[in-house]
Amino acid sequence: MLFGHHHTDTFHILKDDQGNPVQVMLMAPSVTPWFSDLPGAGSNNPAFRVIDYNPTTWDYNEIDTYYVNLTQLNLNHTTPWQLEYSMKKDYNLEKIDAISMNKLFENMKINDTVFMKYIQYNSVLWDPKRPEGKFR
């Protein structure tokens, strides 16, 4: 399932009654930046996604996220959009599906490097900071 205009770059895993991942919800960051003062929430640079998929199977081949750095854009209005990351490549996924994304999620729980990569992409590289306490 694909969702847009979420501001942050995130995903959710839907599981069946036995706890098996059956669907992934991919929330795309927004072109509209968001500056939140909610506890545990952050801000984001503008972004958009390009999804390459197999039109026969509907499997995702790759999902690329592009962004513009607002700090740089405010200094120079010709600052270009650039590739932030490619989901399969940068998260080292064989597929983009519920099972692979659930494995990624489980890995984030124990691997601070992978978790911090997620935090960077979640904020679209806007001042990413590692969450502490209950927000970790």
Side-chain angles (χ1 to χ4, degrees):
M1 292 184 266
L2 302 173
F3 299 86
H5 196 86
H6 191 270
H7 292 289
T8 61
D9 184 337
T10 193
F11 62 93
H12 294 265
I13 307 294
L14 299 177
K15 297 182 178 182
D16 64 16
D17 292 342
Q18 289 75 44
N20 300 309
V22 294
Q23 186 61 269
V24 63
M25 301 166 63
L26 301 170
M27 284 82 165
S30 175
V31 173
T32 308
W34 182 50
F35 301 98
S36 174
D37 59 359
L38 295 172
S43 303
N44 68 289
N45 278 309
F48 67 90
R49 282 204 171 135
V50 175
I51 300 171
D52 178 39
Y53 69 97
N54 181 318
T56 304
T57 65
W58 291 84
D59 291 340
Y60 302 119
N61 297 323
E62 185 60 275
I63 299 176
D64 294 324
T65 302
Y66 292 84
Y67 83 109
V68 66
N69 182 314
L70 281 180
T71 303
Q72 294 301 315
L73 184 63
N74 285 324
L75 297 172
N76 178 358
H77 72 278
T78 63
T79 297
W81 289 89
Q82 57 189 324
L83 178 65
E84 179 190 18
Y85 78 103
S86 298
M87 189 172 285
K88 276 176 68 175
K89 179 182 172 225
D90 289 302
Y91 279 129
N92 197 27
L93 302 172
E94 288 186 32
K95 292 180 74 174
I96 301 171
D97 64 5
I99 293 169
S100 294
M101 295 302 287
N102 190 62
K103 287 179 185 175
L104 173 63
F105 173 68
E106 293 300 324
N107 192 20
M108 283 184 214
K109 292 179 182 180
I110 59 173
N111 185 324
D112 284 340
T113 301
V114 175
F115 179 65
M116 195 59 208
K117 182 182 284 192
Y118 167 77
I119 293 300
Q120 291 171 326
Y121 298 153
N122 178 263
S123 67
V124 193
L125 303 177
W126 179 274
D127 192 27
K129 293 182 178 93
R130 182 176 172 203
E132 299 296 333
K134 67 181 182 179
F135 298 111
R136 169 60 173 102

